Amino acid sequence: MPPLTDLADAVIRGDHPQAGALTREAIRLAIEPKTILDDGLIAGMTVVGDRFRVHEIFLPDVLLAAKAMYAGMDELRPLLIRDGVPSLGKIVIGSVKGDLHDIGKNLVGIMLKGAGFDVIDLGHDVAPEAMVRTAKEQGAAVIGMSALLTTTMPVMGEVVSRLKAEGMGGTVRTVVGGAPVSEAFAREIGADAYAFDAGNAVDVVKTLVGRR
Ligand code: B1M
């Protein structure tokens, strides 16, 4: 089996030692880190999501898959960050309040760091006031929000409203992303931008801070 199919399979099975070992093997074979991420780790997690949706697998299986995905990401992180040129500016990121999904958000953080941004990662389940307060205290140019649940998406709108209410709407820009989020939703809540994946988040944030 090609190494990346094996890697996707290790994520699907939730085999974290194997996911780490196969990621190291793919790196040794000089496969591009972005290809390892997309065709190995994310490909595996996509299958996990599909199986979870149709109740073929259950929450504990998804947790194991997430652990395996992290084992691979730990190996890739230094390579994805390696070419960074500090610093294009500060960005606060987090998964919004009520949302515990953080794999995509962490990828966004890794890619932004790699591109030379100073990333302040507030983690998951982050309240709107914490995002706005941190951006203010740290002088961040951008707040990046991630949501994976349709029920937590509205929190993104709360952050945008709060920024405007505090007179920071023009100085701190906002970018939103996550599987259920769309360009139309970003427009609807008044966010400055939408990014469809971690690579695109880098391009979008560069545009927001005038570095593109
Ligand atoms: Co959950 N979960 N989950 N889950 N989970 C989903 C999201 C779901 C679609 C599964 C399904 O039904 N098929 C579904 C949501 C349904 C909906 O709202 N429409 C769901 C559900 C229902 C739930 C629970 C409610 C289950 C329950 O308890 N009954 C629960 C909620 C917990 C909570 O948050 N309060 C729950 C829990 C969990 C786990 C904890 C077990 C685990 C998360 C572990 C973790 O993150 N540490 C988990 C997982 C792993 C998933 C799936 C399977 C995979 C998500 C993932 O990590 N994908 C997911 C199904 C799926 O999405 N296929 C699912 C890989 C990751 C790289 O992709 O995060 O989309 P993603 O990020 C992408 C882009 O979206 C984008 O870039 C990344 C790629 O480069 N992106 C951004 C993300 N954030 C961005 C921000 C940006 C820009 C781009 O700018 C700032």
Side-chain angles (χ1 to χ4, degrees), residues 34-211:
K34 177 83 168 66
T35 307
I36 302 173
L37 184 64
D38 287 344
D39 299 351
L41 299 173
I42 292 183
M45 194 50 101
T46 303
V47 173
V48 170
D50 292 345
R51 292 186 180 171
F52 182 55
R53 192 173 46 246
V54 297
H55 311 295
E56 226 174 77
I57 59 169
F58 301 96
L59 217 48
D61 309 300
V62 182
L63 274 173
L64 285 175
K67 193 170 175 187
M69 173 122 190
Y70 271 126
M73 274 166 64
D74 284 346
E75 303 293 338
L76 284 181
R77 183 174 290 111
L79 299 178
L80 292 169
I81 292 176
R82 185 182 50 191
D83 303 325
V85 211
S87 163
L88 294 181
K90 274 189 190 170
I91 171 163
V92 171
I93 63 167
S95 300
V96 295
K97 189 165 178 58
D99 212 312
L100 303 180
H101 298 87
D102 63 1
I103 295 175
K105 181 268 298 170
N106 288 342
L107 268 177
V108 170
I110 290 170
M111 299 301 269
L112 285 169
K113 271 187 199 156
F117 285 94
D118 187 358
V119 177
I120 302 161
D121 186 346
L122 297 180
H124 54 259
D125 193 18
V126 184
E129 48 275 31
M131 288 198 177
V132 173
R133 189 180 57 244
T134 308
K136 193 176 192 173
E137 285 169 1
Q138 299 286 332
V142 180
I143 295 179
M145 294 170 262
S146 179
L148 264 286
L149 299 171
T150 45
T151 49
T152 58
M153 286 165 65
V155 181
M156 295 172 152
E158 291 177 35
V159 174
V160 174
S161 305
R162 186 172 272 268
L163 273 176
K164 288 185 181 151
E166 297 199 15
M168 296 159 68
T171 45
V172 180
R173 319 301 302 277
T174 48
V175 53
V176 293
V181 179
S182 65
E183 184 93 56
F185 177 75
R187 262 199 307 275
E188 191 185 306
I189 62 168
D192 293 300
Y194 160 74
F196 57 83
D197 71 10
N200 182 231
V202 171
D203 294 339
V204 166
V205 173
K206 278 186 177 169
T207 303
L208 286 179
V209 300
R211 296 300 195 116

